[in-house]
Amino acid sequence: MDAVEKANAERQRRWVKDQKVGEGTYAVVYRGRELATGRKIAIKKIKVGQFKDGLDMSAVREVKYLRELQHPNIIELLDVFSSKTNLNLVLEFLDTDLEMIIKDRSLVFLPADIKSWMAMTFRGLEFCHRNFILHRDLKPNNLLIASDGQLKIADFGLARDAADPGYKMTCQVITRWYRPPELLFGCRYYSTAVDIWSVGCIFAELMLRIPYLPGESDMDQLKTIFRALGTPTDEEWPGHTKLPDYVSVGQFPRTPLRDLFTAASGDTLNLLSKCIIFEPRKRISARDALYHPYFFALPYPTHPSKLPKTAAQTAAASRPPDEVDGNVDPGGGAPAGVGKAAPPKKLKRKLSGHDLSRNIARKLDFTAS
Amino acid sequence: MATDFWASSHNKRWIIDRASLKQARSEDLRYVESPEHVDFLNIYFANLIAMLGKRLTLRQRVIATATVFFRRFYVKNLYCETDPFIVIAACCYVAAKAEESPVHIKNVVSESRLMFSQEGYGVKNFPSDNSKLAEMEFYLVSDLECDLVVFHPYRTLLTLCGREAAHAVVSEAGEVGVGIDNGPRYWGTGEGRLELEEGPLQTAWHVIPPPPSTLHSTLLRPKTDQIRALNRFIINDTYRSELCLLYPPHMIAIAAIYLTLVLNDKTREAIQAQTASSTPTPTPRRSSRTNTSSVHRKLAAAPQQQQDFVGFMAGLRVSLPTVAMIAQEILSLYTLWERYSDAAPESGLGQSAVGDTAGDDVVTPAFLTQLLLRMREARLADLAHPASAQPMAVNKRLERTQAAG
Ligand SMILES: Nc1ncnc2c1ncn2[C@@H]1O[C@H](COP(=O)(O)OP(=O)(O)O)[C@@H](O)[C@H]1O
Ligand SMILES: [Mg+2]
């Protein structure tokens, strides 16, 4: 084993992989823990498959940004290591996400709770935008919640650097209900404002407890938006009729937000309205949002630790740490059929042994020549 | 990740000290006759990346990123134990994805095969199977520890030299960031910008892609002295060395500006006069020698001549000795590069002859490919008989050179 493999094996040995907890588009997610401390972690194993088409673009984007971004409101990538034919991302373990919390009917949200989640979202997003990174997939499901209540922006599989002006980007991004009208009209030159629209939709969803603009198709999404906010005039949004995929979906009158959000304060509605302005350039920036009077008015944001928790979170938090971790002996006690928590000895052997699935060696294979 | 270099993986994990770099190459050095052969390999591989990148129509920035990936990979690996050609292909493939301009794996494989199989390179066995490149991609990304964001000197140069001066040339390369004016960059405030005319700026930063005809001849035909002079733009050139592993990009940018100012006027006149007068059958070696030495003279005389320039450099609050050191290293790269010729070799001629010439002669890609194969065989022999493993004999020439001075 050379120095590089040794370093990798050492990193790998720091982490124990337990049972599978989820599956994403390009990765399988396992629960795990840090061997030395028992700290809960998630291991995201990127499927490389049989090396057919190379690494998925989402995987490249995700590792690229998570390796650079360190912020309390962005999911933390603790380590990376490779096993046989997989890249493994070691992430902080996050118990739940904002979607599950919104859907949990047993929970009651106070305005101060919503303010707290919004502040954490804007803080994480401001950090992304400050570094010229567009997230391009903000939705409640991608805002994960740590056991201490901190909200973390996750899933950077669609993120990219804000392109140079004049450089085209795809408009096929952001889950439909959270997608801004300029993307629905096929705009290929866009900015950080696309994420702000998504945050606006999330803000509204936190108050309504159901998705604010649930379109059934891309076309219906535009209708849904205009039904809620009125069809934009050329004055409100100059030039939008010239966008590549512009279609007229009918004239809808503007209804005041107040009609739907009856209980919201004036500051709340003011900030919400600034997030969902049609003209992208007029939409509020993440930085300005953080200075919006909403965040300085009463009630003040709830402390993260006091935010509403789902039953699962409460259960996890009330158990002592080693029980939470399953306290699995790194040789035996892993749940049946999962058994991924290999003993260090076995890992070592696996790494140094010849692996038939390798077509080329990282190093030249001198035995073959 | 356009702003915070200091917090970046680039700064935290990939600026290494000279001793580590030396350590990384020490095994390779056992298998070459002269240490400068390894430096020639560094030039050769960077050229291959640039050429493959152009075939794949990658932007300059993507090519630069690919080159940095390559350098980082070989901090952890040996030339004599790997296949640098497939590593080169993987670097271009990953860099294209990392810089948001992906190319299909099939294209990378077929363009690599086409290019490497050209006579001048003599690489016969580039795999035709996509899965081999995909597998190399995996090893590359693993060894890069998933650090895929690379900072380059271009932005610093742009900001230091002022947006107006830079804009005309810059926009073509697509390097202007969104919100380039939105707040301070990592190296400072942009106060007291240096006013540069377009001419010297292009010297420091080659941003205008050569017209297709020039490009073609650059890639496929013997480089004339003229093209050589025109294409030698300092920042791009630094990627032929390992400077990107040793210094932060803004320091390299400042060194490039420093050199540009030092090289300005007289030297440029000299270069122009030379290329104009020596068009028919240029002797690359001699003419460029003159260049280099005049550069050295100019460098020595620089401080007195460029008063406001000194003020500007001092205002940057960076270590001037470091800047001067980088500049010196760039110059020694040029000195070496003068003896490198990527002229397409006339069938078979040259390679073997060059193999046993003294260190002074022109080194060709074919020679370097052969060198690599020999290194590999010697390594294989050593690994097959670990007990008797000895540094390859030779180094006589080296001893002689050293004795000579
Ligand atoms: N850091 C984490 N902590 C706990 N569970 C996670 C973590 N990351 C992902 N998961 C779980 O794995 C599932 C898949 O994650 P991900 O790959 O992000 O999905 P997708 O690609 O579909 O967005 C998630 O739905 C979640 O249940
Ligand atoms: Mg997700």
Side-chain angles (χ1 to χ4, degrees):
Chain A
M1 206 190 298
D2 68 16
V4 179
E5 285 169 5
K6 212 182 260 163
N8 181 64
E10 257 161 42
R11 283 208 305 277
Q12 178 166 8
R13 251 174 312 206
R14 262 184 73 190
W15 314 105
V16 178
K17 188 162 79 186
D18 296 329
Q19 70 272 34
K20 182 171 160 179
V21 292
E23 184 145 7
T25 35
Y26 64 90
V28 182
V29 183
Y30 298 87
R31 204 165 103 151
R33 64 212 140 83
E34 187 173 21
L35 191 61
T37 63
R39 170 187 184 182
K40 264 202 295 189
I41 51 136
I43 296 183
K44 194 163 179 173
K45 190 166 109 182
I46 298 175
K47 302 176 232 175
V48 185
Q50 279 310 302
F51 298 123
K52 267 215 206 82
D53 291 319
L55 279 175
D56 192 279
M57 195 61 191
S58 321
V60 169
R61 287 175 173 142
E62 182 142 86
V63 295
K64 175 182 163 189
Y65 291 117
L66 290 185
R67 280 298 263 175
E68 307 294 326
L69 291 172
Q70 280 103 38
H71 187 276
N73 298 113
I74 292 176
I75 187 169
E76 189 184 1
L77 178 61
L78 301 164
D79 200 1
V80 291
F81 64 86
S82 52
S83 50
K84 291 189 287 189
T85 58
N86 294 297
L87 284 177
N88 296 272
L89 312 184
V90 182
L91 297 159
E92 58 179 323
F93 190 90
L94 299 168
D95 300 289
T96 186
D97 59 57
L98 203 56
E99 184 183 1
M100 292 209 271
I101 293 185
I102 290 173
K103 283 185 172 161
D104 187 334
R105 288 280 142 198
S106 68
L107 302 178
V108 176
F109 298 175
L110 301 172
D113 302 335
I114 295 174
K115 193 174 288 188
S116 178
W117 283 315
M118 289 307 294
M120 292 188 281
T121 305
F122 273 123
R123 267 183 239 133
L125 187 60
E126 189 277 327
F127 186 73
C128 293
H129 288 179
R130 196 196 311 163
N131 286 294
F132 303 106
I133 295 166
L134 312 180
H135 184 281
R136 305 198 302 179
D137 197 18
L138 290 177
K139 55 182 174 182
N141 172 261
N142 283 338
L143 302 177
L144 306 189
I145 309 291
S147 53
D148 63 357
Q150 281 289 340
L151 178 149
K152 315 264 179 174
I153 299 181
D155 206 341
F156 282 76
L158 277 173
R160 65 159 293 160
D161 279 28
D164 308 326
Y167 190 88
K168 277 192 179 182
M169 295 180 279
T170 174
C171 55
Q172 295 303 315
V173 291
I174 306 187
T175 306
R176 192 195 301 126
W177 297 348
Y178 306 89
R179 198 182 300 159
E182 66 267 28
L183 293 185
L184 293 161
F185 281 145
C187 181
R188 309 292 301 274
Y189 308 99
Y190 50 84
S191 68
T192 50
V194 296
D195 288 332
I196 299 294
W197 179 278
S198 309
V199 174
C201 296
I202 296 166
F203 193 7
E205 188 167 336
L206 282 167
M207 292 187 268
L208 299 170
R209 302 295 292 270
I210 49 161
Y212 176 42
L213 302 167
E216 275 157 22
S217 63
D218 288 3
M219 189 70 79
D220 186 56
Q221 186 64 36
L222 279 167
K223 254 191 220 166
T224 309
I225 292 171
F226 297 158
R227 221 180 277 127
L229 300 168
T231 307
T233 62
D234 213 53
E235 212 162 63
E236 264 181 287
W237 186 6
H240 74 280
T241 55
K242 308 269 179 348
L243 289 171
D245 302 338
Y246 173 77
V247 278
S248 174
V249 292
Q251 291 299 314
F252 297 96
R254 185 182 191 90
T255 43
L257 288 175
R258 166 71 60 220
D259 290 3
L260 186 60
F261 303 93
T262 45
S265 74
D267 287 330
T268 309
L269 290 190
N270 185 281
L271 177 57
L272 173 61
S273 69
K274 285 184 166 158
C275 295
I276 49 178
I277 292 176
F278 285 123
E279 156 83 279
R281 263 168 297 194
K282 289 195 197 127
R283 240 169 260 158
I284 196 166
S285 70
R287 182 188 306 202
D288 288 348
L290 286 172
Y291 291 113
H292 191 277
Y294 167 70
F295 289 113
F296 299 96
L298 287 168
Y300 295 134
T302 309
H303 189 272
S305 63
K306 300 279 186 332
L307 284 166
K309 283 189 172 58
T310 60
Q313 273 175 292
T314 322
S318 62
R319 266 179 277 152
D322 45 350
E323 205 186 316
V324 171
D325 297 324
N327 202 16
V328 186
D329 176 309
V338 181
K340 296 276 183 187
K345 213 170 39 186
K346 199 172 152 204
L347 286 178
K348 208 168 166 185
R349 189 167 51 74
K350 262 197 201 157
L351 267 182
S352 53
H354 281 280
D355 191 333
L356 294 176
S357 67
R358 290 191 171 190
N359 292 315
I360 52 166
R362 184 165 61 81
K363 290 204 218 163
L364 293 167
D365 184 4
F366 289 115
T367 53
S369 50
Chain B
M1 290 304 296
T3 40
D4 198 354
F5 174 74
W6 303 115
S8 70
S9 63
H10 188 152
N11 182 49
K12 286 190 286 197
R13 289 188 282 271
W14 295 104
I15 300 291
I16 62 174
D17 58 35
R18 217 168 275 275
S20 315
L21 186 57
K22 209 171 160 196
Q23 177 64 30
R25 286 282 74 78
S26 61
E27 283 296 302
D28 282 327
L29 279 167
R30 294 171 57 215
Y31 302 101
V32 294
E33 290 143 39
S34 154
E36 54 176 35
H37 282 166
V38 168
D39 299 329
F40 278 119
L41 286 175
N42 289 339
I43 296 178
Y44 177 36
F45 295 138
N47 279 356
L48 288 179
I49 291 171
M51 284 188 271
L52 181 58
K54 282 182 182 136
R55 278 169 166 268
L56 294 166
T57 62
L58 302 179
R59 289 172 296 142
Q60 182 55 45
R61 185 192 169 82
V62 185
I63 293 173
T65 298
T67 316
V68 174
F69 287 168
F70 183 85
R71 300 282 181 234
R72 290 179 181 182
F73 181 81
Y74 282 107
V75 170
K76 299 179 169 190
N77 292 279
L78 306 181
Y79 286 148
C80 66
E81 267 190 5
T82 54
D83 182 350
F85 301 100
I86 194 162
V87 177
I88 284 170
C91 287
C92 288
Y93 180 50
V94 177
K97 285 197 253 192
E99 298 283 356
E100 290 289 343
S101 34
V103 278
H104 199 282
I105 190 164
K106 260 194 304 207
N107 291 351
V108 183
V109 169
S110 62
E111 288 299 331
S112 303
R113 276 173 69 78
L114 265 175
M115 193 178 97
F116 292 139
S117 65
Q118 279 175 16
E119 236 169 321
Y121 306 119
V123 180
K124 307 245 154 49
N125 53 353
F126 193 92
S128 56
D129 183 358
N130 294 355
S131 69
K132 302 271 162 64
L133 181 58
E135 190 172 349
M136 190 66 237
E137 176 192 39
F138 169 71
Y139 300 129
L140 174 64
V141 174
S142 307
D143 283 4
L144 294 176
E145 295 170 43
C146 294
D147 292 331
L148 302 179
V149 173
V150 176
F151 285 73
H152 294 292
Y154 305 120
R155 271 178 201 273
T156 308
L157 191 64
L158 171 65
T159 324
L160 283 179
C161 296
R163 190 188 173 90
E164 281 73 49
H167 196 267
V169 274
V170 164
S171 51
E172 291 196 45
E175 292 292 351
V176 187
V178 142
I180 192 103
D181 300 316
N182 293 358
R185 319 309 279 191
Y186 59 84
W187 50 266
T189 61
E191 225 174 84
R193 278 175 175 169
L194 185 65
E195 296 302 325
L196 279 188
E197 293 153 38
E198 279 189 20
L201 184 63
Q202 286 171 30
T203 314
W205 180 11
H206 172 211
V207 287
I208 300 182
S213 57
T214 325
L215 196 67
H216 182 75
S217 57
T218 316
L219 296 184
L220 302 176
R221 285 200 228 114
K223 254 192 197 170
T224 67
D225 218 18
Q226 262 170 323
I227 296 168
R228 198 176 263 257
L230 288 172
N231 275 348
R232 186 156 294 177
F233 295 101
I234 299 173
I235 283 188
N236 286 348
D237 293 349
T238 60
Y239 290 98
R240 267 72 180 173
S241 70
E242 295 176 306
L243 281 171
C244 60
L245 293 173
L246 295 168
Y247 301 103
H250 64 281
M251 294 298 285
I252 296 174
I254 292 166
I257 296 173
Y258 177 78
L259 271 182
T260 304
L261 293 176
V262 165
L263 295 175
N264 203 4
D265 53 83
K266 274 188 197 143
T267 314
R268 268 195 309 144
E269 278 165 30
I271 292 172
Q272 273 159 10
Q274 242 164 31
T275 50
S277 65
S278 65
T279 323
T281 28
T283 339
R285 193 146 54 90
R286 188 168 306 146
S287 54
S288 43
R289 274 277 167 71
T290 329
N291 270 351
T292 323
S293 52
S294 70
V295 164
H296 279 294
R297 274 202 306 277
K298 194 78 192 277
L299 192 62
Q304 293 91 318
Q305 290 172 0
Q306 307 263 357
Q307 279 314 322
D308 46 341
F309 164 50
V310 170
F312 166 77
M313 297 297 282
L316 291 177
R317 292 196 204 136
V318 295
S319 156
L320 291 185
T322 310
V323 172
M325 182 142 79
I326 300 171
Q328 287 292 349
E329 282 191 53
I330 297 174
L331 290 177
S332 53
L333 165 71
Y334 284 145
T335 313
L336 199 70
W337 197 350
E338 293 309 331
R339 288 169 36 223
Y340 174 87
S341 158
D342 53 8
E346 288 96 59
S347 49
L349 266 185
Q351 293 99 307
S352 57
V354 179
D356 43 31
T357 44
D360 248 338
D361 283 284
V362 173
V363 170
T364 64
F367 165 70
L368 292 168
T369 302
Q370 289 303 315
L371 171 69
L372 194 69
L373 293 177
R374 287 202 303 274
M375 290 168 69
R376 217 182 259 182
E377 275 161 31
R379 179 65 170 178
L380 169 61
D382 274 3
L383 292 183
H385 308 287
S388 64
Q390 296 256 325
M392 238 170 64
V394 292
N395 274 4
K396 279 185 208 125
R397 203 152 287 118
L398 173 63
E399 282 161 29
R400 211 166 53 209
T401 343
Q402 283 170 340

